[in-house]
Amino acid sequence: MTISEISTGLSMSRNTIGKYIEMMFLSGMVDVRTVGKAKIFFLSKRIPVTTLLNYLSSAVIQTDDRYYIQSANISAAELLDTDLTQMTGRNILDLLTLQGLKPEVRTRILSPDRPLVFASDIELVRSDQKRFVWLTVADVVMYDGAKGHYFVIEDVHEWKEAEESKRRYYALFHALAAETDDRVFVMTPELVFTYVNPRFGRAFHREPESFIGESRTNICDHHAKPLIQEAAKYVCSRNEPYRILFSIQERDQVRWFDERLFPVQDNKGEVREIIGFSRDITGFQEGGSASVLLTSLMDLLHEAVITTTPAGKVLSWNRGAELMTGYPRDELIGSTALSIITPDLNAGRDLVLETCNGEEIRDLKAIIRARGGRKKRVLISTSRLSFQDNIVSGVCIVIREH
């Protein structure tokens, strides 16, 4: 329709119709495009702001200068437990007071000295339960020049509870970690320290804070490094705890550690950090005689006795294994046992993986590869090492000459 046709139909002047259309354009109700010298107006496809506000979870309330409600969205009616049609003309501060708004907060809102935008977390009562909300009050000027206010109220109760719970458990963890005699640490999946307890720091004659940002692999020898890396990789990939036994050369002494790693998940279920508990088990019984005695007994056996991690990294290698394979102990610790018990010589079987998955292997006829590429026919038995229910910490392999 042309302006002339609209003017005739409404019995209004063309100038008046033109002004109305201009106002509709400025308010966003219509859009315009030009064709030569002519302007073509058409209804805008924009969503009205008042309609959009009804889809927000936050309560949005518009008031006049005396805090009487002019408009509100659906979330505001639900928050204030009032019918939306009955909110217009009521005092927002009176409604909030009924919901538990404290007098001192109301006084701060009404104060002439407050800033143009006032924001604070407050406590309201909803359905007879206290809820934390974030209140924002902004002073505005309407199109007609009248002053007013906008109230935006967001329910942050779950977030507030989560933050308080986080702070509570953070303090509890640090208090417990500071009291224990175990070495406790927190690191990223990349093995970078984000926390170590005082006992960890004392072991290296350093302040705990000095470890932050340093790699875990910087404070272990070359034998333990691949074991620690493998353990962290297992925790991150499987999202499960892991437990290992390993030795570290600390100054002039070899010390043994029982280390347990636990995943810390983020909101997506991915491992964000790893908590580690490392216990010094050097000389756990009788001043160290138990471990020395066990090592001596293992070396008296003619059989080769090997312990590995679940991924096959060698943890221990007795004298019998040295004699049977020709590889010295120091050369095999930290390397993979599959270089000796190779799957390609045993019909593709990975005996370590089978054992971790629950297979019972007893006197299996197999072939191992000794030093220099020599092949030996042997009998192999394996068993799982588990220090905790449902957590496989390693595999013990016994090899006998066939």
Side-chain angles (χ1 to χ4, degrees):
M1 295 179 66
T2 64
I3 290 181
S4 297
E5 291 172 335
I6 297 174
S7 174
T8 302
L10 296 178
S11 300
M12 299 175 66
S13 70
R14 294 177 71 256
N15 287 339
T16 302
I17 296 298
K19 294 296 183 183
Y20 271 119
I21 293 178
E22 290 289 342
M23 291 296 296
M24 293 174 69
F25 171 70
L26 293 175
S27 65
M29 296 177 65
V30 299
D31 281 329
V32 64
R33 62 185 176 90
T34 58
V35 179
K37 295 182 178 181
K39 292 182 179 180
I40 300 177
F41 294 91
F42 52 93
L43 292 176
S44 174
K45 295 183 180 181
R46 297 187 185 95
I47 300 174
V49 174
T50 52
T51 302
L52 181 63
L53 293 179
N54 285 327
Y55 292 97
L56 299 180
S57 59
S58 300
V60 181
I61 304 163
Q62 176 196 352
T63 75
D64 62 14
D65 194 35
R66 296 182 301 163
Y67 297 95
Y68 287 101
I69 298 175
Q70 302 299 303
S71 64
N73 66 349
I74 294 174
S75 295
E78 294 175 352
L79 174 74
L80 299 175
D81 196 22
T82 305
D83 188 273
L84 185 62
T85 59
Q86 299 178 0
M87 291 184 64
T88 303
R90 301 185 66 177
N91 190 292
I92 179 60
L93 297 180
D94 291 343
L95 289 176
L96 289 175
T97 300
L98 293 175
Q99 298 285 339
L101 181 70
K102 295 181 179 179
E104 55 268 26
V105 177
R106 178 171 180 149
T107 301
R108 289 169 61 191
I109 294 174
L110 293 171
S111 173
D113 298 327
R114 72 165 174 80
L116 293 177
V117 178
F118 168 84
S120 175
D121 56 336
I122 62 175
E123 198 175 69
L124 299 180
V125 178
R126 297 184 61 190
S127 302
D128 298 326
Q129 292 184 345
K130 291 184 178 180
R131 305 282 296 182
F132 288 103
V133 301
W134 185 260
L135 171 65
T136 302
V137 182
D139 297 342
V140 295
V141 177
M142 310 303 173
Y143 283 123
D144 60 359
K147 294 182 179 180
H149 313 279
Y150 261 100
F151 283 69
V152 181
I153 308 172
E154 183 180 1
D155 191 329
V156 294
H157 188 79
E158 280 75 18
W159 174 83
K160 189 88 171 180
E161 287 286 304
E163 284 296 307
E164 290 185 359
S165 179
K166 177 182 175 181
R167 286 193 292 268
R168 184 165 58 250
Y169 284 109
Y170 181 88
L172 177 60
F173 170 78
H174 280 70
L176 293 175
E179 292 297 322
T180 183
D181 198 45
D182 290 343
R183 302 181 185 186
V184 181
F185 58 90
V186 181
M187 61 184 181
T188 67
E190 294 75 31
L191 306 183
V192 176
F193 286 120
T194 57
Y195 168 82
V196 302
N197 72 335
R199 176 66 183 86
F200 197 108
R202 288 196 300 271
F204 296 92
H205 305 287
R206 292 170 57 180
E207 291 295 323
E209 292 76 13
S210 68
F211 288 91
I212 308 304
E214 185 175 350
S215 175
R216 173 80 169 88
T217 58
N218 289 349
I219 56 171
C220 63
D221 56 33
H222 68 283
H223 288 310
K225 183 176 179 179
L227 302 178
I228 293 172
Q229 290 173 326
E230 178 191 303
K233 183 178 179 181
Y234 179 94
V235 172
C236 293
S237 61
R238 301 286 292 273
N239 219 330
E240 296 176 356
Y242 192 87
R243 193 169 188 175
I244 55 174
L245 298 176
F246 59 90
S247 62
I248 291 182
Q249 181 78 34
E250 291 189 353
R251 295 180 293 278
D252 58 346
Q253 185 180 13
V254 175
R255 307 196 68 82
W256 281 86
F257 291 91
D258 172 9
E259 189 161 292
R260 291 155 291 165
L261 302 178
F262 298 88
V264 179
Q265 301 176 357
D266 58 17
N267 293 333
K268 298 179 181 178
E270 299 176 355
V271 177
R272 180 172 60 90
E273 289 182 315
I274 300 171
I275 296 180
F277 297 85
S278 190
R279 176 169 296 178
D280 190 338
I281 58 172
T282 306
F284 186 71
Q285 295 176 346
E286 301 177 4
S289 61
S291 59
V292 173
L293 177 61
L294 179 60
T295 302
S296 300
L297 289 174
M298 297 293 286
D299 284 341
L300 290 175
L301 297 175
H302 294 293
E303 292 88 351
V305 181
I306 307 166
T307 59
T308 75
T309 67
K313 298 290 185 182
V314 176
L315 294 172
S316 68
W317 186 267
N318 76 335
R319 177 65 175 166
E322 289 184 335
L323 295 173
M324 188 177 297
T325 65
Y327 289 103
R329 182 176 311 177
D330 290 343
E331 189 173 333
L332 265 294
I333 298 294
S335 64
T336 175
L338 297 181
S339 63
I340 306 298
I341 313 170
T342 56
D344 60 313
L345 295 179
N346 296 282
R349 297 184 63 177
D350 184 337
L351 302 185
V352 173
L353 180 60
E354 290 180 19
T355 304
C356 290
N357 291 336
E359 292 288 336
E360 291 286 340
I361 299 176
R362 292 290 179 269
D363 293 330
L364 173 71
K365 293 182 180 180
I367 300 174
I368 64 172
R369 179 175 282 123
R371 196 178 187 90
R374 293 178 295 115
K375 299 176 183 178
K376 283 190 173 185
R377 296 186 179 278
V378 296
L379 297 175
I380 297 179
S381 299
T382 65
S383 62
R384 293 194 300 175
L385 301 176
S386 181
F387 299 96
Q388 206 169 357
D389 292 342
N390 301 322
I391 301 179
V392 179
S393 301
V395 175
C396 179
I397 304 171
V398 179
I399 307 174
R400 294 187 290 114
E401 296 275 5
H402 181 43

